Amino acid sequence: MAISFGVHIGPQNISIDDLRRLWTFADNNGFTWISVWDHFYEAPPVDGNATHFEAVALMSAIACETKNVEIGNYVFCMNYRNPAVLLKSLITVDHLSGGRCAIGLGAGWHTMEHAAYGFEFRPPKQRLDMLEEGTRVIKMLLAQDRTTFDGEYFHMNNAAMNPKPVRQPMPIWIGGQGEKRTLRIAARHADGWNVPYIGAETFKHKSEVLDHWCEREGRDPATIKRSINLHFNMAATNAASGAVRAAVKELYGEDTPERAGGRLLGGPSEVVEQIGAFTNVGVTALNIAFRPPVDFDALQAFVEDVMPKFAT
């Protein structure tokens, strides 16, 4: 089954030169997507001392230095930026890229950076209310010449959003896996849904929940694209599979089965089998996710030995 591949970067503990090398490689080697995440501190949290770059600025650089990949973020925390200001930035990225920018939105979770930078970390219900309200604002600003909105968290007063994006419509992705609210918000508002670091069977279940909410909302489930991020822990050769497995075990300990299922782990032949399990449950877009250092030899092997197995 055909599947498209993307690259998802955690821009921490890495130089700008290596980030540039990674997005240039993705753009020139058949990947269709590249994204960064929206954090100010390292994830998972440690002590806040890791070097870490900001998302919108990186997306602007990617827009100017690539020609092929779609550029996104999985996902912007709605609590960090006024939705109109965020949209203004992303439309600018869209014009810089010639219409290759997508909008990724989520509720946020990183308590350490909230506390450090003075953002109130609200309870889950309020963060999800804020996500849905901000998404509504963004959709109105994209669709209308002027927007007036008086919500609980956001207020617009005859707001204009010019220019409009190059790409019409500019796609909106909702990220997360919460079954009661997040997936329902996706069913109501999203062009695409992204989920990180879960196994194939769990993805199948979450996708079925999304289908359920689409039915409740009167939405055709086929109109929502579905993608997954998986940690990239592939060895460059099948012979090196044991070494990379041992390194992952040393780094993460005895991973839970769920977390382990959210990895591409082992040699290229093992990774082909793992990806096959995801295609069998409906994944059509898979993003390999990096926490540096980046193994560029393994990445080259992924392009040569894995991606062709899933070509159209």
Side-chain angles (χ1 to χ4, degrees):
M1 180 177 179
I3 187 170
S4 65
F5 292 101
V7 169
H8 179 65
I9 310 170
Q12 61 186 36
N13 296 313
I14 189 171
S15 68
I16 285 292
D17 286 344
D18 276 346
L19 284 169
R20 179 173 283 116
R21 181 183 177 189
L22 185 54
W23 70 58
T24 301
F25 183 94
D27 194 51
N28 292 331
N29 285 278
F31 291 92
T32 62
W33 171 272
I34 190 159
S35 60
V36 294
W37 66 31
D38 187 31
H39 291 302
F40 309 122
Y41 278 18
E42 71 278 350
V46 181
D47 56 13
N49 291 325
T51 58
H52 199 295
F53 293 105
E54 193 274 333
V56 175
L58 284 177
M59 291 173 69
S60 298
I62 295 168
C64 293
E65 296 185 5
T66 60
K67 297 183 181 300
N68 304 304
V69 288
E70 190 172 3
I71 303 158
N73 186 295
Y74 287 146
V75 285
F76 281 107
C77 173
M78 189 60 76
N79 196 35
Y80 290 163
R81 300 168 187 83
N82 174 285
V85 174
L86 175 61
L87 181 59
K88 178 67 75 171
S89 297
L90 296 182
I91 289 176
T92 301
V93 173
D94 191 62
H95 280 260
L96 287 169
S97 67
R100 292 182 286 122
C101 185
I103 304 166
L105 305 172
W109 61 269
H110 203 310
T111 56
M112 181 184 291
E113 62 191 17
H114 274 78
Y117 285 11
F119 295 106
E120 180 183 355
F121 190 73
R122 297 175 173 88
K125 180 185 182 304
Q126 293 181 27
R127 283 184 282 127
L128 287 160
D129 289 344
M130 179 178 284
L131 169 62
E132 182 153 25
E133 188 174 294
T135 303
R136 289 176 58 203
V137 169
I138 286 173
K139 291 177 70 175
M140 292 170 70
L141 289 165
L142 286 170
Q144 301 173 176
D145 290 333
R146 294 280 178 167
T147 294
T148 296
F149 182 88
D150 189 21
E152 183 174 356
Y153 301 100
F154 304 114
H155 306 274
M156 301 288 133
N157 181 21
N158 198 33
M161 184 59 61
N162 295 312
K164 299 300 186 190
V166 174
R167 177 162 46 164
Q168 298 286 349
M170 191 175 187
I172 295 174
W173 289 77
I174 297 293
Q177 57 178 298
E179 296 182 12
K180 294 181 179 179
R181 289 292 309 280
T182 303
L183 292 175
R184 188 167 195 175
I185 292 170
R188 285 173 174 162
H189 301 293
D191 301 292
W193 163 64
N194 174 262
V195 62
Y197 317 129
I198 61 176
E201 288 305 310
T202 303
F203 180 92
K204 180 176 182 290
H205 168 71
K206 299 292 184 181
S207 187
E208 289 170 347
V209 173
L210 179 57
D211 289 344
H212 162 76
W213 285 122
C214 285
E215 182 180 352
R216 291 281 299 272
E217 296 292 332
R219 179 86 182 270
D220 179 359
T223 62
I224 300 180
K225 297 179 181 179
R226 301 168 197 224
S227 72
I228 189 167
N229 296 352
L230 297 175
H231 288 295
F232 187 73
N233 298 119
M234 194 188 91
T237 65
N238 290 324
S241 173
V244 75
R245 286 180 175 275
V248 168
K249 184 175 181 180
E250 181 178 357
L251 184 61
Y252 294 100
E254 294 296 335
D255 238 346
T256 64
E258 181 68 3
R259 197 69 171 177
R263 300 185 186 283
L264 297 178
L265 177 61
S269 61
E270 293 170 287
V271 166
V272 167
E273 292 183 7
Q274 292 160 15
I275 294 174
F278 283 97
T279 65
N280 289 339
V281 296
V283 174
T284 57
L286 187 153
N287 305 308
I288 54 175
F290 292 91
R291 285 190 173 89
V294 177
D295 185 340
F296 283 96
D297 290 336
L299 181 56
Q300 184 67 46
F302 185 82
V303 169
E304 295 177 0
D305 301 333
V306 176
M307 288 171 59
K309 300 293 194 299
F310 299 94
T312 53

